[in-house]
Amino acid sequence: MVDLANTIWADGPSAAPSQPTKSQIRQWGTYLESLATLAFTNGKVYATKAALDADLTPAANTPALVSGDPGYDGLYMKVGASATGSWSRLLDFVPGTQIVHAVDAGAGTPNAIVATTSIGLSASGSQIVRLDVFEANTASPVTVAFNGGSALTIKTAAGNNVVVGGLTAGPVLGFVSGSTFRLLSDQASAAIQSAAEAAVVLAGAQADRAEAARDIAEGFASDIVSQGNVPIYATRTGLGSLTIPVGINNITLNGYASNSDGGEGNYRRVLLADLTGIPTQCYKQDAAGAYWLDSDKNPQPQKYGVVSDNFVTDDTAAWNAYFAAMAALNRPIKIKSFIRSKITDTLTLPVYGLVSGTTASACYVDLSNVTFRYSGTRTKVVLDIVGTAALRFWESTFLLPCVVATGALQWPATLQTADTAIRMSYGFFCKVVENFTYGFTKGIEYVNFPYTKIYGLHISDVKFQRIFTTSGTDPNAGFTNACQVFGGRHGCTSSAALLGNAYGQVFTWNKVASYRGNNNHAFHDLIFELGQPAGATYRCPVLFDGVGIYNKFTGSRFESCKGPMMICDGGLVSGAAGPSASFNEFDAPWNNSAGTVQKISILQINGAVGNTMTGPGAVAHSWRRGGLGKLLKSAGGAGAAYLKGDELFLVEGAGATPIKKRVTTSAASIGAHRDALLIANGTRVGVAVDTSKIKTLRFRYAAQDNFPGRPAFYAFDAAGGALTGTITELPATYGAADWLTAGELATWGTEQYVKGGFAFNSTQPILTNGPPAAVQADLAYAKDLWITVRDEVKTLHMMVGGGTNPCVLQALEIIGYSHMNAPGEAYPTITGLGAMRVYSPVDDDGEMALVTADPVIAGGHGFYPAGSIMGMRNDAPAAAAAAMYFALTTGWLAPAWTISTVYSVPGQLVANAGNIYQLVTPGTSAGAGGPTGTGTGIADGVGTTWDYIGVKPTSGAIIRT
């Protein structure tokens, strides 16, 4: 293949355009002539490209021409067999028309020529065009349009615009090249000479500027090079001694203080008015007073003076300048190289990003290649990433740096003070990738940072390792909820053995007036290895300090720690309305835990309740009793009821030492009901639970709507003595001085022996132990309670009684959560109780109802199938007297219907004229008569209706001989 015309007639330097050799021209022309001969020999010529495409009869490789269709003229070759395929274009002009005549008939102007040709022109420059110019040009540049096409700028052979008068009337040669028409012939010499003379005058006028440029070249800018038309100078620190020539608007500097020190970058010329609100570190002035603003898309910190000389130079000020600049310029922070910086004071990264309203989204900070070694006073936050309530980080990404403290390892502060590696404030829906953190009192602290995904790495020899906290009074901004934390190790080395208590994950608040929050966090696969130093110290994986509900740990490894796995401080001394540090779940492979000083248990103090441990070694036990209505029988006397069932017992009265039994002494204590126990105020039904090992229980019961009743709990110590009132712990017992304020320490730890709360409504009042009639109001959410008892409580009576309305009790359920512990620990251990023990403190076993007379005569409780035993006499009957009663026919027993009585509980039963009726619609009974018949919806008095359900049974007796 011969060279293209563009190559043969290529432009050369302006002073001497290349002169093509005749041999190249002959080869090019011969090639075109051969193609033309080939085309015309086969006789395939078409007027339009459409006509060509419509004819697919020629065989493969058949040549053809299109002539007279502008834009489509040229030589084509058939692709594919006859009647198939398509045409492929080989040349974009008709062979033989290498030179085309274009006529300027004067239709345009001298400076915007309009010309016509007899054939379409090649867009690739493969044709030479003879253009007959009508008249000389009077301006520059000059354009030409061929055949009504786009205007092409006429360029000289050197690529310049033609000068005024450079085109005179007569022919010139050229070719189409993109958007230009390039001349092969020279301009008029007289015009060129005139332009040269004008240039001499201009050069004289610019002499002073040339001298200034010479000075620059001889001085600081001796290493200027030409690269992409942007001058490159040495350093930013030397820019102030230079005068950048007017007309240069963009420059590149080779470094900050010296060439190739990492501070290289680009700058653009700006006006002072453009710098409103821009900190001074973002720009630099040259000697002439021009302002040069950082224009890099991803500036590096070395550009602002960070030295990174392996922790020798103090880089604090430089990093602060860099962070302020990135925030002001709204640039992402992506550190490309490894940086090792010495820091002596706080580094502040202010909020920035795409600011809208109260949020700043899409902020990107990657400091993962950076190590900050802090050697300042131990009262500071090293890296403070600062959002505000008025402007929060939103959907931003942070890859944190490595932060280590130098010098002797120390923990000089408390949870309320500084000495913090990293603090992040006010962020929503962010992503954080943590890095190695070492040697501080507080590691990484998240303040008002909800809905964040956190990827842990390693926090070591830190007292409070990761902290979630809150501040401010606005619950819409000042909270930390619903974060997800994945992986990472929390550890302490032997170097920290003498530094006191340490805590892995900490939940707290500002102890002033903030919304406490810290709810619904999820932690996955964390590793806690906090050490087991000697002495009275804790190494506790998790601490809840007066906050936190509904949080969950799954798959975490707790190994080689000391003390309880979790300390849950409910914080009630601060005046909370309901329990905090409650209803949290810890699901972990406890069998991975090691060391006899590590307690696999939860310490729940100061009102905390309902925290549970699950996973291997931490088992949930359950006890259920349904169909309670069928356990109620008559004791033989009027209104006296007997409660069957192994574990159940009755309590009547509100004394400090209630009477535990199975038989009621008052007709008003328990009423007759078809499906449940109808319990009045002052009476309770419950069970006893051994809590020597199990300290957290869930108490649930089924009760009829609008008749939920009141739960009640009595606590007893190991000797059976009642535990009432409150108990006060000493703060030193649990190391509480680490996390409590002075005000909290003064009243800390005064709590009840029995604590309770509602998992789905934690603002309900906390429950109290002791008789409920005098102290406990009706509880709207009382059907599902979490109960936690202190270690002193060895037996707990869990009961339900009537409230303002009677309680219609249908079923009871208790779930106990046992926490296995390592051998040698007192609370709780794997020795002894292995399952939850639920029992009745009453002497008889409850399987056989005891009676004092024939239930049919005076009794008012129970359903008796024919043949069933109705009761056995418990009063040592004399010879020839009845010792046991049984039912001859099936039926119910119920109290007699009475006149003008309010019947309020649907389902309760009455007897009238030998029939038994069930209340359907509450109301007041009639002054006489009562329900009759065997139908449904039987009207009675004011609003009362009844359904017939059966008749009273008949009884027989077994006589003692």
Side-chain angles (χ1 to χ4, degrees):
M1 180 68 182
V2 300
D3 289 337
L4 298 176
N6 269 338
T7 302
I8 297 172
W9 280 281
D11 298 331
S14 59
S18 61
Q19 301 296 325
T21 62
K22 291 182 178 180
S23 61
Q24 289 178 304
I25 297 174
R26 285 194 298 270
Q27 289 175 356
W28 180 70
T30 301
Y31 172 69
L32 297 182
E33 290 167 354
S34 65
L35 293 176
T37 301
L38 177 64
F40 288 113
T41 299
N42 286 272
K44 294 291 183 182
V45 180
Y46 299 85
T48 64
K49 175 67 163 48
L52 173 68
D53 290 336
D55 184 7
L56 299 178
T57 56
N61 301 322
T62 299
L65 293 174
V66 174
S67 179
D69 191 355
Y72 297 99
D73 286 355
L75 176 64
Y76 292 80
M77 177 177 287
K78 178 66 180 346
V79 177
S82 177
T84 63
S86 61
W87 292 93
S88 176
R89 194 178 193 184
L90 301 179
L91 295 175
D92 62 352
F93 64 94
V94 176
T97 62
Q98 292 91 326
I99 299 177
V100 180
H101 186 200
V103 178
D104 174 9
T109 68
N111 305 313
I113 301 170
V114 174
T116 57
T117 65
S118 60
I119 193 167
L121 296 182
S122 166
S124 63
S126 299
Q127 294 167 300
I128 296 175
V129 180
R130 171 190 165 180
L131 171 63
D132 292 339
V133 178
F134 180 73
E135 55 186 328
N137 65 302
T138 59
S140 180
V142 182
T143 62
V144 60
F146 296 104
N147 303 318
S150 300
L152 307 176
T153 302
I154 299 178
K155 296 287 187 178
T156 67
N160 301 315
N161 292 327
V162 297
V163 299
V164 175
L167 296 178
T168 59
V172 293
L173 294 180
F175 60 93
V176 176
S177 177
S179 61
T180 66
F181 180 70
R182 304 295 293 269
L183 297 178
L184 295 174
S185 56
D186 291 333
Q187 303 178 70
S189 58
I192 296 174
Q193 179 177 352
S194 175
E197 291 172 352
V200 170
V201 176
L202 179 62
Q206 297 294 330
D208 292 340
R209 294 186 183 179
E211 269 190 52
R214 181 201 62 194
D215 292 341
I216 294 174
E218 291 176 353
F220 170 79
S222 60
D223 52 2
I224 292 179
V225 298
S226 177
Q227 180 176 327
N229 296 322
V230 178
I232 300 178
Y233 295 85
T235 65
R236 173 170 174 161
T237 56
L239 184 59
S241 63
L242 299 178
T243 299
I244 308 299
V246 175
I248 295 178
N249 295 318
N250 296 279
I251 62 173
T252 296
L253 299 181
N254 268 337
Y256 180 80
S258 61
N259 285 337
S260 303
D261 62 1
E264 59 272 6
N266 300 308
Y267 296 80
R268 63 184 176 89
R269 186 189 295 267
V270 297
L271 300 176
L272 180 61
D274 298 327
L275 298 175
T276 302
I278 302 297
T280 58
Q281 53 264 40
C282 297
Y283 57 88
K284 182 80 173 178
Q285 273 187 288
D286 64 16
Y291 293 93
W292 297 93
L293 180 66
D294 186 345
S295 60
D296 280 337
K297 293 182 179 179
N298 180 208
Q300 295 300 290
Q302 295 93 329
K303 195 175 183 181
Y304 290 80
V306 171
V307 178
S308 183
D309 53 0
N310 203 27
F311 313 114
V312 175
T313 302
D314 185 355
D315 282 335
T316 305
W319 273 104
N320 276 325
Y322 174 68
F323 287 147
M326 296 306 97
L329 298 175
N330 202 11
R331 308 281 169 77
I333 297 175
K334 299 179 182 179
I335 308 305
K336 300 176 181 178
S337 60
F338 291 104
I339 296 180
R340 306 290 181 263
S341 286
K342 175 184 176 180
I343 303 299
T344 58
D345 207 336
T346 298
L347 304 179
T348 301
L349 175 58
V351 64
Y352 76 103
L354 301 177
V355 177
S356 175
T358 60
T359 65
S361 64
C363 169
Y364 187 91
V365 176
D366 183 356
L367 297 169
S368 58
N369 286 331
V370 178
T371 297
F372 293 134
R373 181 179 288 180
Y374 181 73
S375 58
T377 58
R378 298 299 295 273
T379 58
K380 304 291 184 67
V381 176
V382 178
L383 176 60
D384 204 0
I385 301 176
V386 185
T388 66
L391 188 60
R392 308 185 292 267
F393 290 107
W394 194 275
E395 297 170 345
S396 297
T397 297
F398 300 89
L399 281 67
L400 299 182
C402 170
V403 182
V404 299
T406 61
L409 183 62
Q410 56 179 305
W411 295 341
T414 67
L415 190 55
Q416 279 72 50
T417 55
D419 188 37
T420 305
I422 300 174
R423 180 171 64 192
M424 305 183 67
S425 304
Y426 288 100
F428 280 57
F429 304 105
C430 294
K431 173 184 175 182
V432 179
V433 180
E434 297 178 345
N435 210 324
F436 180 62
T437 306
Y438 173 82
F440 293 87
T441 303
K442 297 195 291 186
I444 304 176
E445 184 173 31
Y446 296 87
V447 184
N448 305 326
F449 232 81
Y451 316 123
T452 296
K453 280 191 174 181
I454 299 171
Y455 297 86
L457 183 64
H458 189 190
I459 304 176
S460 181
D461 287 353
V462 173
K463 185 177 184 68
F464 302 100
Q465 300 206 335
R466 182 189 295 110
I467 304 164
F468 286 174
T469 187
T470 59
S471 66
T473 58
D474 181 3
N476 295 315
F479 68 101
T480 301
N481 290 341
C483 294
Q484 299 181 63
V485 181
F486 301 89
R489 178 183 184 269
H490 296 259
C492 285
T493 67
S494 58
S495 300
L498 301 179
L499 296 181
N501 302 326
Y503 310 86
Q505 175 65 50
V506 178
F507 305 86
T508 187
W509 59 302
N510 73 347
K511 305 300 181 77
V512 180
S514 73
Y515 167 73
R516 298 193 183 191
N518 270 305
N519 307 325
N520 302 104
H521 299 301
F523 297 82
H524 308 274
D525 305 317
L526 276 65
I527 299 173
F528 295 92
E529 297 174 334
L530 297 174
Q532 298 178 331
T537 57
Y538 275 152
R539 293 299 170 85
C540 181
V542 180
L543 167 65
F544 288 94
D545 172 26
V547 299
I549 55 176
Y550 317 134
N551 300 289
K552 184 172 183 178
F553 288 75
T554 58
S556 295
R557 179 183 178 90
F558 296 72
E559 183 170 356
S560 298
C561 300
K562 185 179 180 183
M565 307 304 294
M566 291 87 187
I567 295 178
C568 301
D569 177 1
L572 288 184
V573 294
S574 300
S580 292
S582 298
F583 318 123
N584 301 294
E585 180 181 349
F586 309 97
D587 179 3
W590 308 110
N591 54 317
N592 287 335
S593 301
T596 57
V597 295
Q598 178 170 314
K599 294 183 179 182
I600 308 178
S601 59
I602 303 174
L603 179 61
Q604 303 183 71
I605 53 179
N606 221 6
V609 61
N611 298 286
T612 60
M613 297 173 66
T614 57
V619 182
H621 312 269
S622 62
W623 171 90
R624 295 179 179 85
R625 174 69 77 177
L628 297 184
K630 295 182 180 180
L631 299 179
L632 194 64
K633 302 298 180 182
S634 172
Y642 183 89
L643 185 62
K644 291 179 61 177
D646 295 345
E647 303 92 351
L648 297 173
F649 63 91
L650 291 167
V651 173
E652 287 183 308
T657 305
I659 301 172
K660 299 174 287 293
K661 55 186 180 177
R662 296 191 187 276
V663 182
T664 62
T665 58
S666 169
S669 294
I670 294 183
H673 195 282
R674 181 171 182 174
D675 303 313
L677 299 177
L678 181 55
I679 309 170
N681 192 356
T683 302
R684 290 163 292 285
V685 173
V687 296
V689 181
D690 186 334
T691 55
S692 59
K693 307 291 183 181
I694 297 176
K695 301 298 180 181
T696 294
L697 306 103
R698 196 167 187 177
F699 185 48
R700 310 169 74 178
Y701 59 91
Q704 188 170 305
D705 289 344
N706 302 316
F707 300 92
R710 296 174 179 173
F713 305 92
Y714 296 160
F716 301 90
D717 60 20
L723 296 170
T724 59
T726 58
I727 186 170
T728 301
E729 288 283 4
L730 297 176
T733 305
Y734 307 111
D738 286 338
W739 69 81
L740 295 180
T741 64
E744 288 176 313
L745 284 170
T747 55
W748 181 85
T750 301
E751 66 172 354
Q752 297 163 338
Y753 290 98
V754 181
K755 302 168 287 184
F758 310 93
F760 48 87
N761 193 331
S762 60
T763 60
Q764 286 287 305
I766 193 168
L767 301 176
T768 60
N769 54 288
V775 297
Q776 184 66 71
D778 289 349
L779 299 176
Y781 298 95
K783 297 180 184 179
D784 191 351
L785 313 175
W786 286 90
I787 303 299
T788 295
V789 299
R790 290 181 50 84
D791 191 31
E792 297 85 353
V793 179
K794 306 302 181 183
T795 300
L796 181 66
H797 292 179
M798 309 181 75
M799 299 166 289
V800 179
T804 303
N805 294 320
C807 175
V808 181
L809 185 64
Q810 298 163 325
L812 285 173
E813 178 181 25
I814 299 172
I815 303 173
Y817 296 88
S818 64
H819 305 153
M820 184 179 75
N821 200 14
E825 287 296 317
Y827 165 62
T829 67
I830 59 175
T831 59
L833 188 67
M836 184 172 64
R837 183 168 73 98
V838 179
Y839 65 99
S840 171
V842 181
D843 290 340
D844 70 273
D845 65 7
E847 284 300 307
M848 177 65 69
L850 302 179
V851 299
T852 57
D854 184 350
V856 173
I857 296 176
H861 301 87
F863 173 74
Y864 300 92
S868 63
I869 296 175
M870 304 182 76
M872 178 176 289
R873 292 284 291 268
N874 63 349
D875 55 354
M884 180 182 294
Y885 300 95
F886 58 93
L888 296 175
T889 60
T890 299
W892 294 84
L893 293 178
W897 174 88
T898 57
I899 64 171
S900 303
T901 300
V902 176
Y903 289 99
S904 60
V905 183
Q908 69 181 108
L909 303 179
V910 295
N912 196 35
N915 292 336
I916 305 298
Y917 298 93
Q918 173 182 309
L919 181 65
V920 176
T921 305
T924 302
S925 62
T932 58
T934 59
T936 60
I938 303 168
D940 173 28
V942 181
T944 310
T945 60
W946 305 87
D947 284 350
Y948 167 82
I949 65 167
V951 297
K952 294 179 66 173
T954 58
S955 62
I958 297 176
I959 306 300
R960 178 183 177 186
T961 59

